[in-house]
Amino acid sequence: VQVEESGGGLVQPGGSLRLSCAASGYTYSRYCMGWFRQAPGKERAGVAAIDSDGNRRYADSVKGRFTISQDLAKNTLYLQMNSLKPEDTAMYYCAADAGAGWLSLHPAEFAYWGQGTQVTVSS
């Protein structure tokens, strides 16, 4: 299983970015995939997750601003980020579980990780 993120970059406060995560070799019928972020000096934290039934879960800090979605035909996960704030600056990671399908934001529940894509929100 491989997951690979793309779409990070530098954006001004209030701006938008869309992250993409391409998954290959991932064939579980039940699953959960998510987005996590890690800022310097901080622990990795869950941002948003989606399960195989299409249920979604968000961290309180991004509710109403971020949207997680998936394109099953393309095996691609997305994170649409709007109204970005400087505190959203972090390395963003895509992750997938090993078929348990629990809708979770805990990093320990996820087995497969991408290398990350940097998001910087600054004027």
Side-chain angles (χ1 to χ4, degrees):
V1 177
Q2 289 187 323
V3 292
E4 183 174 3
E5 309 91 340
S6 61
L10 173 64
V11 62
Q12 292 187 341
S16 299
L17 277 178
R18 188 177 80 158
L19 305 183
S20 299
C21 172
S24 59
Y26 192 63
T27 59
Y28 295 102
S29 58
R30 289 194 58 80
Y31 62 84
C32 178
M33 294 189 69
W35 289 96
F36 297 79
R37 65 187 181 186
Q38 187 168 18
K42 295 188 177 181
E43 293 186 353
R44 191 170 297 188
V47 175
I50 188 168
D51 67 15
S52 47
D53 292 326
N55 300 305
R56 295 166 171 83
R57 186 172 181 179
Y58 296 94
D60 288 343
S61 58
V62 306
K63 283 180 181 177
R65 301 189 298 122
F66 290 11
T67 302
I68 189 170
S69 62
Q70 58 186 346
D71 185 329
L72 298 179
K74 295 181 179 179
N75 289 333
T76 301
L77 184 73
Y78 301 99
L79 184 68
Q80 177 66 43
M81 304 185 294
N82 299 328
S83 302
L84 282 160
K85 305 175 181 179
E87 51 263 43
D88 295 318
T89 295
M91 185 71 78
Y92 282 71
Y93 298 90
C94 174
D97 77 356
W102 297 107
L103 187 61
S104 174
L105 291 177
H106 295 290
E109 301 288 345
F110 292 79
Y112 308 106
W113 291 84
Q115 295 298 308
T117 185
Q118 178 68 37
V119 172
T120 302
V121 185
S122 175
S123 56

